[in-house]
């Protein structure tokens, strides 16, 4: 259940993907931070007092960087608020992407950011592609163009290390933000093994190291809390897990070092370069329109533009997300140094909140100390901490604006962090954090065109429980870079073959049940203790089963052994709760989930029994590179889809 990297996206692309270009705004009102004066008041009327959030944000001076997660200004917040409002008020509609240039049922086509139709897309890009593919034209300039550099630089570096000629294109400056990312050492070492970073790079990037994190689910604040959920009078349960998300790393150092190694290996980076569109031809290649920077051609385009990718938005035109994780928080100094020694990976200290017409919300907390445990700075000597408050919900029109969540965050923060009483007076706020993360059940996203493949957050490979996918990227980087390299070597770049790389992943699909269980539909009645009881009993069971069960789960990896064992023991621990769970999630969702769990079991068996035999068979009997490619991708799907890739 890893929520380790907050990336405050301005997810306007999702709203645009839902609202047809010719359509105006739908029903609903703007949140208070965006509304102007009523029509009967003069426009020069006395402005409303600034909110606490606005006052704090306008007083911060943290450096702003480009790319996702780089902006935390008041203007960025109001833009994100507008995007969230548009997404909530939008209505889904059907549109057949097989006929992208046609109006269907009164719905106009989406903007063709990617096109394989020569009558659509930037003409200059088509001209460049034809010229490169023509006899004597010299061929494509690059093997792969990675669109989006913040996390894309790691993808580019992994490919370049394998001998692929790569260009990374970034719309702003290629640099990380000042705030730390939280991750585990084993995830960082994945990039060392791939040649993306060195051990020295990792050591220099790690700026915070603490023993581990707490997980806790309480109906009221009580710290420390002892005993199980029922033995302590249904107060809750908390546990501690060592060496999970216990590192704070500098994104600036990580990205800088990865870029240095990428360039040293022959890679090219283009910063401050906006992408105007992409055209593709299955037989020739792809061309990327870079505006006044010209056009580049490549055999393959990789979409690493994150949750707000215009490519993903085009594919999901008319679709409303199946779930959303809304996150608010801050990085600030002023907390008690002596207790600032451990992190919280997922924590509650209250019951489900009744937000009236906005529905019911269960608030979760997450916190990490900053600037301790490395370079001679001992735990207990820093007063800086990053705290998040997040909730799982849908994009229903009645859901609250981000400003309301920020108000609740400031109001509830002193209860969560009792060393402060007034956030505005007691804290030195360095950054205010905010985001909403739409998630879709049809993830990872299958390609809609040949020669274009989504990677990282753009593909939805991260868990629906997470906000941000740096850990998911590191976990899959070796698999993706190896598969992409093999696809380029075999010229297997059609939609069919690329789809094998983003194959069905049953443990990712099964994670949807957990998000559904932790959210409450608008109008749905539920016991205010429901979520805390569910998680407290489940975590008590997993904790009792040991690290091999709880540790993978906290790192977003679901395995059959841990899942089945925890389900069985949870039922034994609280059998009377089962009917409430079934009622809450619904029979159809439960049946769907059971199907995914069955596939996890099947994939576990296939990986353990069939894959070793296939490895031997492929080496000696299969000479067709296309068949080898397919079977290798299937074996990888069995391995990663069952969680058997997890290293203890």
């Amino acid at each position: 259940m890893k929520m380790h990297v907050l990336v405050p996206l301005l997810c306007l692309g999702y709203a645009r993907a839902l609202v047809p270009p010719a359509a105006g705004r739908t029903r609903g009102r703007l949140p208070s931070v965006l509304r102007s004066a009523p029509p009967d008041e003069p426009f020069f009327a006395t402005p409303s007092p600034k909110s606490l959030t606005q006052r704090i944000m306008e007083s911060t001076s943290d450096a702003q960087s480009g790319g996702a997660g780089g902006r935390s200004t008041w203007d960025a917040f109001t833009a994100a608020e507008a995007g969230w409002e548009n997404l909530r008020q939008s209505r889904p509609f059907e549109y057949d992407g097989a006929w992208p240039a046609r109006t269907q049922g009164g719905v106009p086509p989406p903007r063709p950011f990617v096109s394989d139709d020569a009558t659509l897309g930037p003409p200059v890009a088509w001209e460049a592609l034809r010229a490169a593919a023509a006899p004597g034209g010299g061929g494509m300039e690059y093997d792969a163009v990675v669109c989006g550099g913040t996390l894309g630089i790691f993808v580019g570096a992994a490919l370049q290390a394998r001998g692929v000629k790569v260009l990374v294109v970034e719309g702003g400056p290629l640099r990380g933000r000042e705030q730390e990312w939280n991750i585990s050492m084993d995830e960082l070492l994945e990039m060392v093994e791939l040649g993306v970073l060195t051990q020295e790079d990792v050591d220099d990037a790690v700026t915070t190291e603490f023993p581990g994190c707490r997980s806790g689910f309480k109906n009221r604040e009580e710290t420390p809390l002892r005993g199980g959920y029922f033995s302590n009078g249904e107060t809750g349960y908390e546990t501690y897990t060592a060496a999970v998300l216990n590192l704070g790393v500098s994104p600036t150092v990580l990205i800088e070092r990865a870029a240095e190694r990428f360039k040293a290996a022959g890679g090219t980076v283009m910063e401050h370069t906006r992408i105007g569109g992409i055209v593709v031809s299955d037989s020739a290649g792809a061309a990327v329109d870079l505006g006044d920077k010209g056009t580049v051609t490549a055999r393959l385009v990789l979409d690493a533009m994150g949750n707000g990718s215009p490519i993903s938005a085009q594919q999901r035109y008319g679709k409303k997300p199946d779930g959303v994780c809304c996150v608010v928080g801050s990085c600030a100094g002023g907390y008690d140094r002596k207790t600032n020694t451990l992190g919280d990976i997922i924590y509650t200290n209250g019951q489900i909140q009744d937000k009236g017409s906005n529905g019911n919300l269960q608030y979760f907390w997450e916190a990490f100390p900053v600037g301790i445990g490395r370079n001679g700075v001992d735990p207990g000597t820093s007063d800086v901490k990053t705290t998040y408050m997040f909730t799982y919900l849908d994009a229903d029109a009645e859901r609250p604006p981000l400003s309301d969540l920020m108000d609740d965050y400031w109001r509830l923060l002193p209860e969560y962090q009792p060393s402060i009483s007034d956030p505005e007076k007691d804290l030195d706020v360095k950054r205010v954090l905010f985001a909403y993360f739409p998630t879709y059940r049809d993830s990872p996203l299958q390609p809609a065109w040949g020669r274009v493949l989504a990677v990282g957050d753009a593909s939805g490979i991260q868990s629906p429980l997470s906000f941000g996918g740096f850990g998911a990227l590191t976990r899959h980087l070796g698999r993706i870079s190896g598969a992409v390299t093999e696809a380029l070597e075999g010229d297997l770049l059609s939609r069919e073959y690329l789809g094998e790389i983003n194959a069905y992943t049953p443990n990712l699909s099964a994670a949807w049940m957990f998000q559904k269980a932790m959210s409450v539909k608008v109008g749905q009645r539920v016991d205010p203790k429901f979520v805390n009881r569910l998680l407290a009993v489940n975590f008590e069971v997993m904790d009792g089963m040991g690290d091999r069960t709880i540790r993978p789960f906290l790192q977003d990896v679901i395995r059959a052994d841990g899942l089945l064992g925890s389900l069985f023991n949870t039922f034994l621990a609280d059998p009377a709760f089962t009917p409430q769970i079934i009622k809450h999630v619904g029979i159809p969702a439960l049946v769907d989930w059971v199907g995914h769990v069955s596939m996890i079991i099947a994939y576990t068996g296939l990986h353990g029994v069939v894959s070793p035999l296939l490895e031997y068979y492929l080496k000696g009997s299969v000479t067709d590179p296309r068949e080898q490619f397919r079977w290798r991708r299937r074996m990888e799907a069995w391995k990663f889809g069952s969680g058997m890739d997890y290293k203890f």
Side-chain angles (χ1 to χ4, degrees), residues 71-389:
R71 300 175 65 211
S72 62
T73 63
W74 177 248
D75 287 344
F77 180 77
T78 57
E81 186 76 281
W84 174 228
E85 169 78 4
N86 287 337
L87 182 61
R88 299 195 325 269
Q89 301 300 335
S90 62
R91 299 176 182 177
F93 53 85
E94 295 293 329
Y95 190 89
D96 185 359
W99 305 97
R102 299 184 180 184
T103 297
Q104 301 176 16
V107 176
R111 174 180 175 266
F113 191 86
V114 178
S115 179
D116 56 4
D117 184 337
T119 64
L120 302 173
V124 65
W126 281 115
E127 292 172 8
L129 183 57
R130 292 189 190 100
M140 303 297 112
E141 299 168 74
Y142 296 94
D143 292 320
V145 171
V146 180
C147 302
T150 303
L151 293 183
I153 190 63
F154 302 109
V155 178
L159 289 171
Q160 194 73 39
R162 293 176 179 267
V164 178
K165 186 178 181 182
V166 182
L167 166 67
V168 173
V169 180
E170 169 56 40
L174 184 59
R175 69 165 183 258
R177 64 188 187 195
E178 296 301 315
Q179 178 199 333
E180 295 177 344
W181 288 342
N182 285 90
I183 196 168
S184 306
M185 180 60 79
D186 55 347
E187 294 167 316
L188 277 179
L189 294 180
E190 295 277 357
M191 290 197 286
V192 175
E193 293 178 10
L194 295 172
V196 175
L197 299 170
T198 66
Q199 185 62 56
E200 181 182 0
D201 296 333
V202 170
D203 291 338
D204 290 343
V206 176
T207 53
T208 295
E209 185 173 13
F210 49 95
C213 289
R214 173 179 64 166
S215 305
F217 310 96
K218 306 174 183 179
N219 289 314
R220 64 176 185 274
E221 182 57 61
E222 183 177 321
T223 300
L225 178 64
R226 294 179 175 83
Y229 184 78
F230 296 109
S231 64
N232 60 33
E234 298 190 5
T235 300
Y237 181 79
E238 67 178 16
T239 184
Y240 164 83
T241 307
V244 172
L245 302 191
N246 65 315
L247 301 181
V249 298
S250 166
T252 300
V253 174
L254 280 182
I255 291 173
E256 179 183 279
R257 297 295 177 83
E260 287 175 358
R261 306 208 175 280
F262 172 64
K263 293 174 185 177
T268 304
V269 174
M270 293 183 69
E271 300 179 69
H272 303 284
T273 304
R274 296 290 177 180
I275 299 173
I278 301 168
V279 300
V280 295
S281 165
D282 277 346
S283 61
V288 183
D289 176 19
L290 303 178
D292 58 5
K293 299 287 184 72
T295 303
V296 295
T297 57
R299 298 173 61 205
L300 176 66
V301 174
L302 296 174
D303 175 13
M305 292 184 281
N307 288 296
S309 164
I311 299 176
S312 299
Q314 181 179 343
Q315 281 192 248
R316 289 181 164 134
Y317 184 57
K319 296 181 180 179
K320 203 157 184 174
D322 298 296
V324 181
C325 179
C326 285
V327 193
V328 294
S330 67
C331 179
Y335 295 100
D336 178 45
R337 286 178 169 84
K338 293 181 180 179
T339 58
N340 191 26
T341 58
L342 297 173
D344 283 342
I345 192 170
I346 181 169
Y347 183 85
T348 66
N349 61 352
Q351 301 175 24
I352 294 172
Q353 301 265 324
D354 184 353
K355 307 303 292 182
S357 62
N358 295 141
N360 295 318
L361 300 175
Q362 175 67 63
Y363 287 147
F364 297 87
W365 294 95
E366 184 177 53
F368 300 109
V370 176
I372 63 171
R374 282 276 173 138
N375 303 318
V377 182
D378 295 326
T381 58
S382 171
D383 68 347
V384 181
K385 181 179 295 190
T386 301
T387 57
Y388 307 114
M389 187 187 81

Side-chain angles (χ1 to χ4, degrees), residues 337-595:
R337 286 178 169 84
K338 293 181 180 179
T339 58
N340 191 26
T341 58
L342 297 173
D344 283 342
I345 192 170
I346 181 169
Y347 183 85
T348 66
N349 61 352
Q351 301 175 24
I352 294 172
Q353 301 265 324
D354 184 353
K355 307 303 292 182
S357 62
N358 295 141
N360 295 318
L361 300 175
Q362 175 67 63
Y363 287 147
F364 297 87
W365 294 95
E366 184 177 53
F368 300 109
V370 176
I372 63 171
R374 282 276 173 138
N375 303 318
V377 182
D378 295 326
T381 58
S382 171
D383 68 347
V384 181
K385 181 179 295 190
T386 301
T387 57
Y388 307 114
M389 187 187 81
F390 59 95
T391 188
Y392 301 110
L393 66 169
D394 51 33
D396 188 273
E398 301 302 323
R399 291 303 192 180
L402 293 177
S403 56
D404 284 8
L405 298 183
M406 287 272 13
D407 289 344
D408 283 350
Y409 167 78
W410 299 122
R411 175 176 59 84
L412 297 171
L413 185 60
E415 182 181 351
Y416 174 49
Q417 299 290 331
S419 65
I420 65 167
S421 58
D422 185 334
E424 188 172 19
K425 294 178 180 178
D426 298 343
L427 294 179
D428 174 18
V429 179
K430 305 179 185 303
R431 289 177 68 91
V432 177
L433 311 165
F434 50 90
Y436 61 94
F437 293 89
T439 52
Y440 296 83
R441 297 175 68 90
D442 61 342
S443 297
L445 187 63
Q446 286 282 298
W449 309 272
R451 299 187 181 272
V452 178
L453 179 68
V455 296
D457 287 4
S459 71
I461 197 63
Q462 75 280 9
S463 167
L465 302 177
S466 297
F467 43 85
F470 183 49
L473 176 71
T474 62
R475 177 189 170 203
H476 290 274
L477 190 56
R479 176 184 68 83
I480 291 172
S481 60
V484 167
T485 301
E486 188 176 346
L488 287 164
E489 290 173 347
D491 201 27
L492 305 174
L493 303 173
S494 68
R495 175 182 174 183
E496 174 191 0
Y497 289 108
L498 293 180
E500 298 280 1
I501 300 176
N502 281 354
Y504 164 66
T505 309
N507 55 1
L508 177 64
S509 298
W512 275 100
M513 176 59 73
F514 301 112
Q515 189 192 76
K516 188 173 183 64
M518 290 188 284
S519 62
V520 184
K521 292 181 180 179
V522 173
Q524 184 179 15
R525 293 185 178 183
V526 64
D527 180 351
K529 296 180 180 180
F530 176 84
V531 173
N532 284 332
R533 178 177 175 179
L534 173 69
L535 294 176
V537 175
N538 186 254
F539 268 70
E540 184 179 352
V541 165
M542 289 196 296
D543 193 24
M545 293 174 65
D547 269 6
R548 289 185 66 87
T549 297
I550 197 168
R551 185 180 295 274
F553 187 78
L554 289 173
Q555 292 184 273
D556 288 341
V557 179
I558 297 175
R559 294 164 50 99
D561 50 0
L563 179 62
L564 296 177
S566 62
L567 287 174
F568 178 74
N569 288 315
T570 298
F571 174 76
L572 293 180
D574 193 8
F577 195 46
T578 301
Q580 292 186 47
I581 297 173
I582 295 173
K583 180 181 177 182
H584 182 78
V585 301
I587 295 295
L590 185 63
V591 171
D592 180 67
W593 180 74
V594 169

Side-chain angles (χ1 to χ4, degrees), residues 589-602:
L590 185 63
V591 171
D592 180 67
W593 180 74
V594 169
H596 295 308
V597 172
S598 300
M599 292 305 295
I600 295 175
I601 298 170

